[in-house]
Amino acid sequence: MPSEDTGGSGADGAVDSSVARRSLLGALAAAGLAGCPSDGSTGTTTDEGEDEGDGSSPTPTPGDDATTETADDPTGTDTAAEPDPAVERRIRDHRTSDLTVEVTDGAGATVADAEVEVAMREHEFGFGTAVNAGTLIEESSEGDEYREYIPELFNKAVIENGMKWRFWESDPELADAAVEWLLDRGLDVRGHVCIWGRSDVGAIPSDVLTAIEDGDAETIRERSMAHIEDIVTHYGDDVTEWEVVNEAMHAYQLQLGVYGDQIDTEEPWTGEVVPWRSPLLAEWYSRADDVRRENDLDVGLGVNDFNQFGYSYTDGRYQSQIEHLNDTAVQLDTVGLQAHVGARSGEFNTNSDPDERVSASRVAEEIDKWAGYGASVKITEFDTYAGDDWADDEQRAEVLANYLRGAFSHPDVEDFLMWGFWDGRHWQNEAPLFYEDWSEKPAYDVWTGLVYDEWWTEETGTTDEAGAFSTTGFHGEYEVTVTVDGQEITETVTLSDGGATVELSPST
């Protein structure tokens, strides 16, 4: 059987003249030429991360330790535009709570007929995107709209390339500036990534690549452990969580430098050392846990990988990786599902070119596989570039709606991030929301219609005879304003599970 560690990576594009003064590696990171996802592209990549292949997805090989059974009643390519009532019910159950406003006068007596305005200001749920640090920070005309839309459409971000090991060591200032920019505008930032074992995309420093070639296990261990400490402490609490190791099921060149032929590169699930259950993988996570404890950091630790939707070979592998880390290293805080969705002709939940255009209910059903491990689940890199069977961008918009609804309806999911939102800065020039000329794609209306309309709460009314006004709202931060006899008072309120009650007393 062929090795399944063939995932390609990269993005087309050209290096901007504004970053020409940087090192080659820093310029490539700034321009987005070393994309993270490697969902099964057969393309070969250069050390700088430029994809020289055709970008097609191979068929993973069944017959290993994966779970290969299909569901009894698969929904196939169900992309119906009408919401599933069961999904909508789960959204109401898990994402909304009651908000009660009680109004009194200066003497503590209840006030009837007081005017009340409840205005949502921020979601509790993370709606995010990957961000190209170079476009964000470098002064260029194309960055103007980029900088405008990011805080307008998202409340969470992840740096696309700038935090990857070799890029970060070459130009930490670029990543630092991007993180500062995002934090200043109220976005949370994910840490991506401490360790990524791809040797062909510029993610591993040159001296460590040499150590891999030489089988110098000591250098690999020392450098990787030191890097985990360096980058985690450098950003401290400025990031919400770290992907300690990215794509351990598919990218394990660093481990090959340590274990050599103990890893079977043709059938890695059969070797003496299995990369996604190796002692070194657990050591990396243990080191990250030690660092955050020693420095009193409120930072989560997570895993991240691809092909959980659609393919069946990942089921047993990813579950065993999570269990391995929980049992031998640290209780994980997050489980990342990349969700690079492909339009193909094969049956869903198989290893034969599976079609991932499925219903919202099926999305939630797949997420169930990764729930129950004591960690939150996050959709980390959603896009719809893969596969050759897309009908049009309207269908891509329907698929976004289904994945977004399915994820939002699942109680264990905390974030939904897309891997770029504009074609001009997407690793496959196929981002969900905007064409290269900044005209809106059909999925733009899906995103804004759900995130900032259907799932957004704004209510007005008056208090009843008991001096109370109640409504149901989506979880998040609110400004509640009460007006009595022309006197106004406003208070910020957080609405989460269990609901919230706020007491306001305007001066009279």
Side-chain angles (χ1 to χ4, degrees):
M1 297 181 188
S3 168
E4 294 178 10
D5 183 30
T6 57
S9 177
D12 297 329
V15 178
D16 297 335
S17 60
S18 62
V19 296
R21 298 184 303 275
R22 300 184 181 276
S23 66
L24 174 61
L25 192 63
L28 288 165
L33 297 185
C36 166
S38 50
D39 75 327
S41 163
T42 57
T44 57
T45 54
T46 68
D47 191 46
E48 286 78 26
E50 295 175 275
D51 196 340
E52 298 176 343
D54 60 8
S56 61
S57 286
T59 302
T61 307
D64 58 5
D65 62 346
T67 302
T68 58
E69 294 81 0
T70 59
D72 292 335
D73 184 25
T75 52
T77 58
D78 174 12
T79 57
E82 290 300 318
D84 183 330
V87 172
E88 297 307 291
R89 183 172 60 252
R90 289 198 298 271
I91 289 174
R92 291 193 301 271
D93 289 345
H94 302 306
R95 302 299 176 187
T96 68
S97 293
D98 292 335
L99 174 59
T100 300
V101 181
E102 297 177 348
V103 182
T104 59
D105 61 18
T110 59
V111 178
D113 298 321
E115 297 177 6
V116 179
E117 179 182 0
V118 174
M120 195 172 188
R121 291 292 177 258
E122 190 58 79
H123 275 287
E124 177 183 81
F125 191 91
F127 294 100
T129 183
V131 170
N132 182 285
T135 305
L136 189 69
I137 298 304
E138 300 291 344
E139 293 297 328
S140 63
S141 58
E142 68 181 1
D144 292 342
E145 286 162 300
Y146 196 71
R147 288 182 287 271
E148 174 187 347
Y149 279 118
I150 288 170
E152 181 178 307
L153 296 174
F154 309 103
N155 62 13
K156 193 159 193 172
V158 57
I159 307 301
E160 182 182 13
N161 291 311
M163 289 182 174
K164 292 168 185 172
W165 190 356
R166 187 174 175 185
F167 292 108
W168 187 72
E169 286 191 344
S170 298
D171 191 0
E173 292 83 6
L174 180 63
D176 292 352
V179 169
E180 182 179 4
W181 190 97
L182 294 164
L183 294 175
D184 285 347
R185 287 153 183 81
L187 281 78
D188 290 332
V189 179
R190 288 192 88 225
H192 173 83
V193 53
C194 296
I195 302 293
W196 188 26
R198 287 290 303 275
S199 62
D200 54 356
V201 291
I204 302 175
S206 58
D207 66 309
V208 181
L209 288 174
T210 299
I212 293 172
E213 294 172 1
D214 294 344
D216 183 355
E218 182 178 359
T219 295
I220 294 170
R221 286 180 183 274
E222 289 180 354
R223 284 281 277 121
S224 60
M225 296 300 176
H227 173 63
I228 289 171
E229 180 176 4
D230 289 345
I231 197 165
V232 171
T233 56
H234 181 83
Y235 289 104
D237 291 325
D238 284 346
V239 300
T240 58
E241 74 266 353
W242 278 102
E243 296 169 12
V244 180
V245 179
N246 187 41
E247 300 178 358
M249 290 189 294
H250 300 92
Y252 38 83
Q253 279 83 353
L254 283 164
Q255 297 198 53
L256 286 172
V258 172
Y259 294 115
D261 58 11
Q262 291 179 279
I263 295 175
D264 187 328
T265 56
E266 293 298 314
E267 297 181 348
W269 54 92
T270 65
E272 181 180 347
V273 173
V274 176
W276 51 93
R277 298 194 300 268
S278 74
L280 180 57
L281 182 66
E283 289 169 25
W284 281 327
Y285 276 85
S286 294
R287 182 64 189 131
D289 184 44
D290 289 344
V291 169
R292 68 174 176 178
R293 291 176 184 275
E294 291 164 2
N295 293 275
D296 195 26
L297 300 177
D298 184 18
V299 178
L301 304 179
V303 292
N304 189 51
D305 221 308
F306 60 87
N307 280 355
Q308 294 92 348
F309 293 101
Y311 289 91
S312 62
Y313 78 94
T314 57
D315 292 358
R317 293 187 189 185
Y318 206 34
Q319 289 163 345
S320 69
Q321 177 186 336
I322 294 166
E323 291 168 353
H324 169 63
L325 294 174
N326 280 348
D327 291 343
T328 64
V330 60
Q331 170 60 53
L332 293 171
D333 300 296
T334 67
V335 171
L337 313 178
Q338 290 184 12
H340 298 287
V341 177
R344 308 182 185 94
S345 58
E347 186 177 355
F348 186 81
N349 201 29
T350 69
N351 292 326
S352 182
D353 231 13
D355 192 349
E356 295 171 309
R357 295 168 292 178
V358 295
S359 67
S361 60
R362 189 59 186 270
V363 170
E365 180 184 333
E366 290 298 304
I367 292 171
D368 274 338
K369 295 176 181 177
W370 318 111
Y373 286 101
S376 65
V377 178
K378 305 195 175 189
I379 306 301
T380 57
E381 303 185 14
F382 177 89
D383 55 21
T384 52
Y385 79 90
D388 299 323
D389 292 345
W390 292 105
D392 50 33
D393 285 337
E394 292 286 350
Q395 186 180 68
R396 283 185 163 96
E398 291 178 2
V399 169
L400 170 62
N402 284 344
Y403 275 76
L404 194 53
R405 287 185 188 276
F408 197 57
S409 74
H410 199 290
D412 283 2
V413 178
E414 290 187 353
D415 295 338
F416 187 107
L417 290 85
M418 57 183 65
W419 199 249
F421 63 99
W422 169 48
D423 281 356
R425 281 297 177 265
H426 183 265
W427 72 297
Q428 294 287 340
N429 303 321
E430 188 59 72
L433 302 188
F434 293 97
Y435 297 103
E436 190 165 0
D437 64 0
W438 286 107
S439 57
E440 298 167 1
K441 295 186 177 185
Y444 174 88
D445 289 335
V446 168
W447 183 265
T448 57
L450 290 176
V451 177
Y452 295 109
D453 187 3
E454 186 174 324
W455 299 337
W456 192 261
T457 304
E458 291 188 354
E459 297 288 347
T460 59
T462 58
T463 54
D464 58 20
E465 293 182 357
F469 171 83
S470 295
T471 189
T472 299
F474 286 91
H475 296 159
E477 187 174 285
Y478 287 78
E479 285 186 356
V480 177
T481 301
V482 170
T483 305
V484 178
D485 295 333
Q487 299 296 313
E488 184 178 286
I489 185 172
T490 299
E491 185 168 322
T492 300
V493 179
T494 298
L495 180 63
S496 193
D497 277 338
T501 298
V502 56
E503 298 181 6
L504 295 177
S505 181
S507 21
T508 56

